[in-house]
């Protein structure tokens, strides 16, 4: 197998030094990322990214590669790609979250892979798949884990690796997650994994780093852990629309660590939806693209530091959601599920009966059935007025009503295709945590090219493989906070301040998003009118523009559908396919 790998773009924005070993391809890595090649007569292994490698690991990795035990290659602390090769096969893998992504396509008899979908689209001159773009806006991207927004470019789903060497590429499950532990049983292992994920990075950075300190539990926890082994600079963002309570907690966390909190005070210039003309183009429409002006402002004081900690992924690994109740019903734990639903509803002055009906309906429908029903609703133009109050397999928002008949037919066909490949026995709680992890991983991945011009290298310890495995080893119903918020955190890290882990509130970005949409309303309207979704006959601009005009009033519930739509329109309007986008190879 001959291969050439190049890092750059989506996952490693700057080209740096190169290295090579006999029998392996040349590799170029971004400054700040690590690379290590190991080889003997049996196998060769290359690691790229952030990883913690002890002296005994090299022999284990080479032995696992020689024997084809591919999942063992993903067990190091950190977040990294692995490329391994034995006498007959080559294995390429990212991480469990999808932050370290792998994409592939056919090129004649060869399979070409890359860490960036856009790079492969450039190589194949592949156009965006407008029907898939519309389907992802309408129903979310999670129903097509092997599809990208480019025709003919496939994604290796997070938690899987790509095995080459046979007649066809094969996907290998490397997740190794068995949710069997109680909170009491699993919390110590999670605490150890998260502490190690933060502190080995801090030491590797020479004891100097920065961190988001927004006041939330996730980022605050990482900052506190990092500050215990080095010097930390704390930064956050605030404006007239962000939560004053969040800022209060952020200042209290900084005081507890004995550091100054540097607050980027935003104005109208930093409101969401103010895209720059020179903004890098991501692999897909990305939520983080809405707030690059905010990031540029508050991260300015920490430019050039070795690394910057973020709390991305904390919501997914620290807590579960109401999908846990649906999973309990599917597993025959109806009585326990009903007790949790009743307790949760009464604590929030909600109707236990209504919530329980929604839970049992979702459990009875299943994943495949829900996607089939969604396809029928899309075809007939019947959409839910509001959410049922609990997690659902497939929620169709208001965007579906803005599609033309042609658009609804194409989205319905994709939903029906997804229903045919869905596992009818899938557990809602396990599907939800895997989907949520992928969405967060993709968002973190798309942040990299946007932050690169500011010389900020973000790291996301909650997305590390071993942190994810430790969290997901605990059953979702045990991680779901019914009477408390993120119960895993105080159980895993009892040394954290109790005033932090007992916090029950969380700031909302709805006011800020609404203000940004109103401030940029005319430009967003132009984006919608001229969108390829409109010119291709998939989207009727009239209802979408009416919703945009009323987003601050009668059409306020359409905010998040409009957000996804204008993100997609801006992404489609971005000029050209700029820059190299990742590590790639042809086999």
């Amino acid at each position: 197998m001959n291969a050439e790998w190049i890092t750059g773009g989506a996952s490693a924005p700057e080209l740096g030094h190169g290295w090579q070993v006999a029998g392996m391809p040349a590799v170029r890595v971004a400054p700040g990322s690590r690379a290590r090649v190991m080889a003997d007569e049996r196998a060769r292994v290359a690691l790229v990214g952030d990883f913690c490698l002890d002296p005994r690991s090299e022999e284990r990795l080479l032995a696992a590669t020689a024997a084809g035990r591919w999942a063992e290659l993903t067990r190091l602390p950190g977040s990294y790609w692995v490329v391994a090769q034995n006498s007959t096969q080559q294995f390429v893998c990212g991480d469990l979250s999808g932050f370290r992504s792998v994409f592939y396509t056919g090129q004649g008899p060869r399979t070409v892979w890359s860490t960036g979908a856009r790079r492969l689209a450039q190589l194949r001159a592949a156009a965006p798949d407008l029907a898939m773009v519309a389907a992802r806006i309408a129903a979310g991207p999670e129903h097509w884990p092997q599809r990208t927004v480019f025709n003919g470019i496939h994604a290796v789903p997070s938690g899987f690796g790509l095995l080459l060497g046979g007649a066809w590429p094969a996907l290998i499950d490397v997740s190794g997650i068995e949710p069997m532990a109680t909170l009491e049983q699993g919390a110590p292992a999670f605490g150890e994994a998260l502490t190690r994920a933060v502190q080995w990075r801090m030491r590797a950075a020479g004891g100097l780093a920065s961190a988001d300190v927004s006041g939330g539990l996730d980022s605050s926890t990482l900052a506190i852990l990092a500050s215990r082994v080095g010097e930390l600079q704390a930064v956050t963002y605030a404006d007239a629309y962000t939560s004053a309570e969040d800022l209060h907690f952020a200042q209290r966390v900084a005081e507890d660590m004995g550091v100054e909190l540097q607050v980027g005070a935003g104005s109208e210039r930093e409101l969401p939806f103010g895209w720059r003309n020179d903004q890098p183009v991501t692999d897909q429409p990305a939520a983080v693209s809405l707030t690059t002006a905010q990031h540029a402002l508050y991260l300015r004081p920490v430019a050039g530091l070795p690394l910057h900690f973020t709390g991305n992924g904390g919501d997914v690994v620290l807590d579960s959601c109401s999908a846990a109740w649906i999973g309990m019903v599917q597993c025959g734990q109806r009585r326990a599920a009903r007790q949790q639903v009743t307790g949760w509803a009464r604590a929030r002055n909600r109707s236990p009966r209504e919530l329980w009906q929604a839970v049992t309906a979702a459990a009875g429908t299943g994943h495949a059935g829900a996607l089939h029903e969604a396809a029928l609703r899309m075809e007939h133009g019947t959409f839910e007025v509001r959410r049922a109050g609990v997690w659902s397999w497939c929620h169709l928002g208001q965007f579906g009503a803005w599609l033309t008949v042609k658009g609804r037919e194409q989205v319905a066909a994709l939903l029906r295709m997804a229903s045919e490949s869905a596992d009818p026995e899938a557990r809602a709680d396990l599907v939800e945590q895997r989907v949520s992890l992928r969405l967060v991983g993709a968002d973190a991945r798309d942040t990299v090219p946007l932050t690169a011009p500011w010389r900020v290298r973000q790291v996301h310890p909650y997305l590390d493989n071993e942190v994810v495995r430790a969290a997901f080893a605990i059953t979702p119903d045990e991680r779901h906070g019914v009477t408390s918020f993120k119960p895993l955190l105080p159980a895993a890290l009892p040394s954290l301040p109790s005033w932090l882990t007992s916090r029950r509130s969380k700031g909302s970005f709805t006011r800020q998003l609404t203000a940004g949409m109103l401030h940029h309303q005319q430009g967003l309207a132009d984006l919608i009118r001229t969108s390829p979704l409109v010119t291709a006959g998939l989207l009727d601009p009239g209802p979408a523009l009416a919703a945009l005009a009323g987003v601050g009033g009668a059409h306020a519930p359409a905010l998040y559908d409009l957000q996804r739509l204008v993100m997609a329109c801006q992404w489609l309007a971005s000029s050209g396919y700029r820059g190299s986008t990742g590590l790639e190879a042809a086999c």
Side-chain angles (χ1 to χ4, degrees):
M1 301 178 186
N2 296 317
E4 181 183 3
W5 312 339
I6 305 170
T7 60
S11 297
E14 301 176 43
L15 295 182
H17 64 279
W19 44 261
Q20 189 168 14
V21 68
M24 292 289 278
V27 179
R28 301 179 72 187
V29 298
S33 291
R34 298 185 61 204
R36 176 72 178 273
V37 173
M38 296 152 277
D40 64 13
E41 69 280 357
R42 302 166 297 171
R44 300 179 181 89
V45 179
L47 306 176
V48 180
D50 295 326
F51 51 88
C52 185
L53 192 65
D54 66 52
R56 297 171 296 176
S57 297
E58 182 169 335
E59 169 57 28
R60 290 198 299 267
L61 294 172
L62 289 169
T65 300
R69 300 192 303 270
W70 308 114
E72 293 182 27
L73 306 181
T74 69
R75 292 282 181 176
L76 297 176
S79 172
Y80 56 94
W81 289 280
V82 58
V83 183
Q85 184 175 313
N86 59 27
S87 59
T88 59
Q89 296 174 309
Q90 186 181 79
F91 178 72
V92 186
C93 189
D95 61 5
L96 302 191
S97 74
F99 173 60
R100 307 289 187 180
S101 54
V102 178
F103 303 93
Y104 67 101
T105 189
Q107 191 174 53
R110 302 186 304 166
T111 296
V112 181
W113 61 265
S114 173
T115 60
R118 178 171 291 276
R119 174 61 171 171
L120 292 181
Q122 290 174 323
L123 293 175
R124 287 198 52 173
D129 183 342
L130 293 180
M132 178 54 65
V133 171
R136 288 159 65 104
I137 301 171
E142 61 266 26
H143 308 297
W144 302 273
Q146 296 184 45
R147 298 280 295 266
T148 71
V149 290
F150 295 104
N151 284 301
I153 308 301
H154 311 289
V156 176
S158 54
F160 287 79
L162 184 67
L163 185 63
L164 304 168
W168 303 100
L171 296 177
I172 305 298
D173 188 344
V174 298
S175 57
I177 294 170
E178 297 183 13
M180 300 177 63
T182 65
L183 186 67
E184 183 179 5
Q185 292 167 339
F190 174 79
E192 291 174 8
L194 185 62
T195 301
R196 182 169 60 248
V198 173
Q199 295 186 348
W200 78 256
R201 283 186 169 93
M202 194 68 176
R203 293 187 178 99
L208 176 63
S210 58
D212 289 340
V213 179
S214 65
L217 271 64
D218 310 343
S219 63
S220 298
T221 295
L222 301 185
I224 290 170
L225 293 175
S227 69
R228 291 174 178 173
V229 293
E231 180 184 345
L232 191 77
Q233 294 190 35
V235 293
T236 194
Y237 174 85
D239 62 23
Y241 305 98
T242 53
S243 166
E245 184 184 16
D246 277 355
L247 183 58
H248 168 74
F249 269 91
Q251 290 167 334
R252 191 171 179 184
V253 170
E255 182 180 350
D256 183 81
M257 295 187 296
V259 303
E260 178 187 357
L261 178 65
Q262 301 179 74
V263 181
S267 64
E268 284 189 344
R269 292 189 301 273
E270 285 76 37
L271 283 173
F273 304 102
W275 288 287
R276 305 190 323 268
N277 291 333
D278 61 344
Q279 190 163 295
V281 182
T282 52
D283 271 356
Q284 60 184 352
V288 71
S289 70
L290 302 177
T291 56
T292 52
Q294 295 176 19
H295 285 78
L297 176 67
Y298 87 87
L299 291 173
R300 192 173 299 150
V302 297
L305 291 181
L307 55 86
H308 179 81
F309 290 102
T310 84
N312 283 340
D315 282 338
V316 179
V317 301
L318 293 175
D319 207 346
S320 180
C321 75
S322 53
W325 302 329
I326 301 169
M328 293 170 73
V329 173
Q330 289 178 294
C331 293
Q333 303 174 41
R334 291 179 65 90
R335 183 175 181 180
R338 186 154 196 172
Q339 287 176 341
Q340 286 201 20
V341 169
T342 301
W344 188 94
R346 287 177 176 169
R348 293 160 178 82
N349 199 28
R350 298 281 297 275
S351 166
R353 185 169 180 269
E354 181 181 347
L355 288 176
W356 179 245
Q357 287 175 340
V359 166
T360 54
T365 303
H367 194 186
L371 289 171
H372 181 71
E373 288 182 4
L376 292 175
R377 291 200 308 273
M378 182 61 67
E379 283 180 332
H380 299 150
T382 55
F383 305 102
E384 301 109 318
V385 176
R386 63 184 181 89
R387 289 183 179 268
V390 298
W391 179 86
S392 61
W393 297 98
C394 180
H395 174 73
L396 299 179
Q398 297 191 31
F399 174 76
W402 308 338
L403 292 171
T404 63
V405 172
K406 175 183 175 182
R408 292 202 306 271
E409 287 176 348
Q410 293 194 15
V411 172
L414 288 168
L415 285 167
R416 188 166 288 108
M417 187 183 306
S419 74
E420 292 169 354
S421 60
D423 178 4
E425 305 298 324
R427 277 176 49 181
D429 49 356
L430 303 187
V431 168
E432 186 280 331
Q433 69 180 18
R434 183 173 64 246
V435 163
S436 295
L437 183 66
R438 286 174 178 167
L439 294 177
V440 173
D443 187 63
R445 181 179 73 232
D446 289 323
T447 305
V448 176
L450 298 173
T451 58
W454 313 324
R455 297 187 298 122
V456 174
R457 193 173 79 87
Q458 295 184 336
V459 294
H460 319 283
Y462 288 111
L463 300 182
D464 281 10
N465 284 355
E466 294 304 277
V467 174
V468 169
R469 286 188 175 110
F472 287 0
I474 303 168
T475 59
D477 62 292
E478 290 274 333
R479 285 187 293 114
H480 185 37
V482 177
T483 59
S484 62
F485 186 53
K486 298 183 177 177
L488 175 55
L489 199 54
L493 296 166
S495 65
L496 291 174
S498 60
W499 53 261
L500 176 65
T501 57
S502 62
R503 184 181 179 188
R504 300 289 178 266
S505 58
K506 183 176 182 178
S508 169
F509 295 99
T510 300
R511 288 180 65 238
Q512 189 190 71
L513 288 170
T514 301
M517 191 165 283
L518 292 173
H519 184 71
H520 296 288
Q521 196 169 49
Q522 185 57 55
L524 299 181
D526 292 341
L527 271 177
I528 293 172
R529 288 191 192 95
T530 59
S531 171
L533 294 171
V534 172
T535 56
L538 302 181
L539 177 69
D540 179 357
L545 293 171
L548 177 63
V551 73
H555 290 282
L559 172 64
Y560 291 101
D561 292 270
L562 284 167
Q563 175 187 331
R564 290 192 296 269
L565 173 58
V566 297
M567 278 165 44
C569 291
Q570 189 275 338
W571 182 81
L572 289 167
S574 298
S575 58
Y577 300 137
R578 292 174 286 176
S580 174
T581 61
L583 176 73
E584 64 183 26
C587 301

